Amino acid sequence: MKKYQEVLTEAKKYSAQLIVVSKSQDIDKIKSLYDLGCRDFAENRVQDLLERKAALPGDIRWHLIGHLQTNKVKSIVTFIHSIQSVDSVDLLKVIDAQASKVDRSIDVLLEVKIALEQTKFGFSKEELFAFLESADYKKFHNSRICGLMGMATFTEDAKIIRSEFKSLKSIFEEVKRFHIFPDEQFVELSIGMSSDYKIALEEGSSMLRVGTLVFRICEKI
């Protein structure tokens, strides 16, 4: 239990939320964290998300953090708590349309590409501001843009990771200065995973997406 409590305690020090990434974990291990009080879990893939939702308690708040194909939106729109990986305007349009059909408002984060890897998804800074300056976001009434999400480069170089997190925090603050969204709505900066969550907290994360590290509590040591 030590690692889960350790990360949770550190997150609380910074007034950040801990979202446990349950991908590739056994149902029993996820349930162990649930029994400790965790209610926010995240998955990368829709199929895994649906399987885990069916097998676990109904009061879990599920977050989608992986690349989402538009044809998969319909299968999660009735229950998903937030979609943190909105990486295109086309995806946002589909989310909004499907949420409207079921009379829901879904919290979303716009994913910004800050990493060096070409395999990462997300808006570039230029694409993000082109979207916001066009005011197209005003057309969406069932998707609530609550902040930004980003993934740092997969590297052990802390300087690179910190620089990328700083870059996203700067973009986040720039959006806030323009008062495009209500201050009480645009509040989330989702950065930080198992390997870099401490840096993320120092750089202003409001949401940590931590998986492997906290699941060590379920192992017999």
Side-chain angles (χ1 to χ4, degrees), residues 39-73:
R39 292 296 181 270
D40 289 275
F41 291 90
E43 285 288 335
N44 280 46
R45 297 175 66 249
V46 169
Q47 187 57 44
D48 293 337
L49 174 59
L50 294 173
E51 291 174 2
R52 282 159 170 69
K53 181 185 182 301
L56 289 158
D59 61 338
I60 288 177
R61 294 179 289 269
W62 290 103
H63 305 258
L64 197 286
I65 61 172
H67 178 60
L68 177 60
Q69 295 175 316
T70 55
N71 64 351
K72 298 289 183 65
V73 174

Side-chain angles (χ1 to χ4, degrees), residues 129 132-133 137-138 174-182:
F129 279 97
L132 297 177
E133 289 166 7
Y137 64 88
K138 292 182 179 179
E174 193 171 347
V175 174
K176 286 190 74 71
R177 283 198 299 273
F178 283 113
H179 298 289
I180 294 169
F181 306 105

Side-chain angles (χ1 to χ4, degrees), residues 41-140:
F41 291 90
E43 285 288 335
N44 280 46
R45 297 175 66 249
V46 169
Q47 187 57 44
D48 293 337
L49 174 59
L50 294 173
E51 291 174 2
R52 282 159 170 69
K53 181 185 182 301
L56 289 158
D59 61 338
I60 288 177
R61 294 179 289 269
W62 290 103
H63 305 258
L64 197 286
I65 61 172
H67 178 60
L68 177 60
Q69 295 175 316
T70 55
N71 64 351
K72 298 289 183 65
V73 174
K74 185 178 180 179
S75 62
I76 64 172
V77 75
T78 57
F79 69 88
I80 197 72
H81 184 73
S82 79
I83 300 174
Q84 298 198 16
S85 49
V86 177
D87 54 18
S88 72
V89 178
D90 286 343
L91 176 58
L92 187 60
K93 287 178 181 177
V94 175
I95 293 169
D96 195 78
Q98 291 294 339
S100 177
K101 289 179 181 179
V102 296
D103 196 25
R104 291 195 70 209
S105 177
I106 296 176
D107 288 354
V108 301
L109 303 185
L110 302 180
E111 183 176 1
V112 180
K113 187 177 183 297
I114 57 174
L116 299 174
E117 294 108 326
Q118 294 302 311
T119 53
K120 292 288 197 300
F121 293 96
F123 290 87
S124 66
K125 180 180 178 179
E126 293 74 23
E127 290 168 339
L128 175 67
F129 279 97
F131 166 57
L132 297 177
E133 289 166 7
S134 73
D136 282 347
Y137 64 88
K138 292 182 179 179
K139 299 176 183 177
F140 306 127

Side-chain angles (χ1 to χ4, degrees), residues 97-208:
Q98 291 294 339
S100 177
K101 289 179 181 179
V102 296
D103 196 25
R104 291 195 70 209
S105 177
I106 296 176
D107 288 354
V108 301
L109 303 185
L110 302 180
E111 183 176 1
V112 180
K113 187 177 183 297
I114 57 174
L116 299 174
E117 294 108 326
Q118 294 302 311
T119 53
K120 292 288 197 300
F121 293 96
F123 290 87
S124 66
K125 180 180 178 179
E126 293 74 23
E127 290 168 339
L128 175 67
F129 279 97
F131 166 57
L132 297 177
E133 289 166 7
S134 73
D136 282 347
Y137 64 88
K138 292 182 179 179
K139 299 176 183 177
F140 306 127
H141 304 291
N142 292 80
S143 48
R144 186 170 174 267
I145 299 175
C146 296
L148 304 179
M149 185 268 256
M151 296 178 62
T153 299
F154 184 68
T155 176
E156 294 183 1
D157 190 330
K159 290 182 179 179
I160 291 175
I161 295 169
R162 189 176 296 277
S163 174
E164 291 169 351
F165 286 162
K166 281 182 180 293
S167 173
L168 187 57
K169 179 63 182 299
S170 176
I171 295 170
F172 174 81
E173 294 295 345
E174 193 171 347
V175 174
K176 286 190 74 71
R177 283 198 299 273
F178 283 113
H179 298 289
I180 294 169
F181 306 105
D183 287 345
E184 68 274 11
Q185 173 182 319
F186 195 81
V187 297
E188 303 296 359
L189 183 63
S190 179
I191 52 175
M193 301 190 296
S194 290
S195 60
D196 54 29
Y197 79 90
K198 291 185 179 181
I199 299 174
L201 287 172
E202 292 168 358
E203 297 303 329
S205 175
S206 70
M207 281 184 169
L208 300 176

